[in-house]
Amino acid sequence: GNSVTQMEGPVTLSEEAFLTINCTYTATGYPSLFWYVQYPGEGLQLLLKATKADDKGSNKGFEATYRKETTSFHLEKGSVQVSDSAVYFCALLSSNTGKLIFGQGTTLQVKP
Amino acid sequence: DTEVTQTPKHLVMGMTNKKSLKCEQHMGHRAMYWYKQKAKKPPELMFVYSYEKLSINESVPSRFSPECPNSSLLNLHLHALQPEDSALYLCASSQEAGAGAKTDTQYFGPGTRLTVL
């Protein structure tokens, strides 16, 4: 079946630190991969996506590369800001069912 | 523009009330979704509409009744809810839905925070 596993949080970093949030997936077929961000009290916002192997998605300084050989889609940012504090969800769009499968979410807290 | 709007933002209702949640998008998307999200959990899919027809019902209790009046609007009618139904209800849309929509991106609204007393 399809599943997404994210590193457990919360992740606490100081401002300007390097961020990595690990995400691995299990899927049949060739899914598209996404990172969504949810700020406190808000809905989900699309952060970035990749639709095939070796694609790199990027947005607002965040990057993630679709690695088929390691079935991973790790989220990285070189220098985090307090405003990046949020919950980050890794997700795959199943090519078999068309359903979006989410990881459990990782809470990031950035301290000044 | 990738905006999905939802009203109301907050809703408090009793277990005997009838209320409705509304969702709207003007991106020309033909697929719309309802999700339920409990605190500190990922969203859970409830319903999918494709071309204004219900295509997926994830075994949701009948006290939740979806409706898609046209391709831009999606409603969720609520009746005789339980306190455990309190959650954030998210609407989303995408260009297409289903197994063939491999690359389709779902865009989410801000959600309706529902409290059932």
Side-chain angles (χ1 to χ4, degrees):
Chain A
N2 298 311
S3 66
V4 176
T5 302
Q6 286 180 239
M7 64 186 286
E8 289 191 21
V11 174
T12 302
L13 295 173
S14 298
E15 208 165 21
E16 298 184 5
F18 185 86
L19 169 71
T20 300
I21 300 178
N22 290 338
C23 171
T24 56
Y25 68 90
T26 302
T28 52
Y30 303 96
S32 296
L33 301 173
F34 304 85
W35 277 101
Y36 286 89
V37 58
Q38 187 171 32
Y39 298 102
E42 298 186 11
L44 271 67
Q45 296 180 24
L46 176 68
L47 183 58
L48 53 84
K49 68 178 183 181
T51 58
K52 61 183 186 297
D54 300 325
D55 266 2
K56 178 186 280 189
S58 61
N59 186 25
K60 299 181 182 179
F62 291 89
E63 291 183 342
T65 301
Y66 190 140
R67 301 279 188 207
K68 193 163 182 286
E69 63 277 10
T70 54
T71 62
S72 64
F73 193 54
H74 304 321
L75 183 68
E76 296 182 336
K77 187 176 185 183
S79 176
V80 293
Q81 305 300 311
V82 172
S83 57
D84 293 326
S85 298
V87 180
Y88 292 80
F89 290 98
C90 184
L92 70 83
L93 184 65
S94 168
S95 56
N96 294 340
T97 65
K99 294 182 183 179
L100 198 56
I101 310 298
F102 289 94
Q104 287 303 303
T106 301
T107 300
L108 171 65
Q109 185 177 25
V110 181
K111 296 188 173 180
Chain B
D1 183 13
T2 55
E3 189 178 25
V4 176
T5 59
Q6 290 186 243
T7 55
K9 191 170 174 62
H10 299 278
L11 179 62
V12 180
M13 59 186 291
M15 289 190 285
T16 58
N17 292 157
K18 286 185 181 180
K19 297 286 184 184
S20 297
L21 310 185
K22 296 186 184 303
C23 174
E24 191 166 4
Q25 57 87 15
H26 293 288
M27 295 178 277
H29 288 174
R30 304 316 299 264
M32 296 186 78
Y33 310 76
W34 280 115
Y35 288 85
K36 173 183 178 180
Q37 186 182 26
K38 300 287 269 187
K40 300 188 185 301
K41 296 290 187 184
E44 299 172 12
L45 183 64
M46 300 174 72
F47 302 104
V48 180
Y49 272 84
S50 180
Y51 289 86
E52 300 164 45
K53 287 187 169 49
L54 184 64
S55 61
I56 294 177
N57 176 343
E58 293 284 273
S59 302
V60 179
S62 60
R63 57 185 184 269
F64 295 91
S65 175
E67 177 197 20
C68 190
N70 60 56
S71 59
S72 300
L73 293 173
L74 185 66
N75 298 322
L76 186 62
H77 303 298
L78 314 172
H79 174 53
L81 294 194
Q82 304 297 310
E84 59 265 29
D85 296 322
S86 298
L88 181 67
Y89 288 84
L90 294 164
C91 174
S93 71
S94 65
Q95 283 188 331
E96 302 282 341
K102 177 183 181 299
T103 61
D104 243 356
T105 301
Q106 291 186 24
Y107 296 93
F108 286 80
T112 293
R113 177 77 57 188
L114 174 67
T115 302
V116 182
L117 300 176

